[in-house]
Amino acid sequence: MQKIGLIGGMSFESSAVYYKLINEAVRSRLGDFHSAEIMLHSVNFQDIVAMQKAADWHAAAERLADVARGLEGAGAGCVLICSNTMHLVARPVQAAITCPLIDIIDETAKVLTKAGHRRPLLLATRYTMEHGFYTERMREHGIEVMVPAAGDRDLVHDIIFSELCAGRVEESSRRKLEAMIDKAKADGADSVILGCTEICLILAPDSLSLPGFDTTAIHATAAVDFSLASGTKADPLAA
C-alpha cells in the first residue's frame, strides 16, 4: 500500500468526505481492519479563497506546490488536490513533484467516457465553470461540457460557498440544483458532473434526472486504485 497525500481544507467539509471514502474503499477491498495510509495537509481555506477572489493563481500554485512537496518529502506515493477549482493550478503543482498528481478532471473524464457520456452538464464554482481550464481539459478527452446560464452559475457558486462550505445543506437549494439539471436534460445534456467536491453533500448521483458523476468519489477511488495497484475486488465507489 502506497501512502496517499491529500491537499485538503478546500473546504474541510469535502476533505472529511475524501478521508471517509478512501478508508471505506480500502476496508472493502482488503477486509478486516485495513485502512488507508493517508497524509493530509489541510490548508487554511480563507487564504485560498482570497487568492481565488484576487485571481492570483500564481500565488495559489506556489502555495499548493509547496504543500505537495512537503507531502512527497514525507513519503506520499501520490498527491491529490481535494478541490475541483484548484485543479486550475494542477499542472504547476505536478511540475513541483516527482510522484503522480492524480488529476480529478482526467479521472472524471475516464469514467464518463467508459459510461458512454460525451455531453455532461457541469455544476461547480464560478471559477470552474467560467475560467475554461475544466472544459478545455475535458475537450482533450473528447467531452463537450455544458454549463448553466449566467444567473444559474451565480446561484450554484453561492450555494457552494455560502452553504455547503459552511456545513449547511438546504432543501430549497437542492430543488434549485435539480431544476437546473432538468433544464440541461431538455437542452441535450446526457449526464451531470458534480464538479465541486462539496456538491456530493447535497446531491446524490443516482437520484437525478440525468446520470450523475460525483467527482469526489471518482477521485477517491482513483487514489485507492493507485495506492493498492493490485487485483483486489471491485470498489463500490466506482459505480
Side-chain angles (χ1 to χ4, degrees):
M1 184 187 301
Q2 295 203 52
K3 294 178 182 177
I4 298 168
L6 301 180
I7 305 177
M10 302 174 290
S11 68
F12 71 77
E13 298 287 346
S14 63
S15 299
V17 177
Y18 270 93
Y19 185 80
K20 184 173 187 291
L21 290 179
I22 290 170
N23 277 299
E24 285 179 343
V26 168
R27 182 173 60 190
S28 174
R29 295 190 193 193
L30 301 182
D32 296 326
F33 298 103
H34 285 286
S35 58
E37 294 272 0
I38 295 174
M39 293 182 291
L40 168 63
H41 185 139
S42 188
V43 301
N44 183 351
F45 194 32
Q46 184 69 35
D47 296 339
I48 303 300
V49 169
M51 295 172 190
Q52 292 174 344
K53 289 181 176 179
D56 193 350
W57 301 110
H58 177 72
E62 287 189 333
R63 175 72 178 114
L64 296 195
D66 184 60
V67 174
R69 283 190 289 266
L71 289 168
E72 183 177 38
C78 67
V79 171
L80 283 73
I81 301 172
C82 299
S83 160
N84 280 273
T85 294
M86 296 313 296
H87 275 71
L88 195 155
V89 299
R91 285 174 172 165
V93 174
Q94 174 65 90
I97 55 178
T98 58
C99 71
L101 179 80
I102 299 179
D103 189 290
I104 199 169
I105 308 174
D106 290 340
E107 296 301 328
T108 300
K110 291 175 189 176
V111 175
L112 279 164
T113 299
K114 184 176 181 180
H117 298 292
R118 296 288 182 176
R119 187 68 171 150
L121 172 70
L122 173 64
L123 296 179
T125 67
R126 189 184 298 113
Y127 311 112
T128 303
M129 292 186 288
E130 296 181 354
H131 183 279
F133 76 97
Y134 204 101
T135 54
E136 290 168 9
R137 192 66 174 259
M138 280 287 177
R139 194 170 290 123
E140 293 175 9
H141 293 272
I143 296 170
E144 291 295 329
V145 169
M146 296 173 61
V147 296
D152 284 344
R153 293 199 298 271
D154 291 341
L155 178 58
V156 177
H157 187 88
D158 188 58
I159 289 170
I160 292 168
F161 277 94
S162 299
E163 298 174 16
L164 302 179
C165 289
R168 291 170 46 211
V169 177
E170 303 288 347
E171 183 59 33
S172 59
S173 295
R174 190 195 322 274
R175 290 194 295 269
K176 290 172 183 175
L177 293 172
E178 289 172 343
M180 290 181 207
I181 295 169
D182 293 342
K183 183 179 185 301
K185 181 179 181 180
D187 291 340
D190 65 7
S191 53
V192 57
I193 299 172
L194 307 187
C196 170
T197 54
E198 284 79 26
I199 293 183
C200 62
L201 301 173
I202 194 169
L203 293 179
D206 58 358
S207 66
L208 306 173
S209 60
L210 285 170
F213 293 85
D214 175 7
T215 56
T216 307
I218 291 168
H219 208 198
T221 296
V224 175
D225 289 343
F226 179 88
S227 176
L228 299 182
S230 62
T232 52
K233 64 182 179 180
D235 175 12
L237 289 182

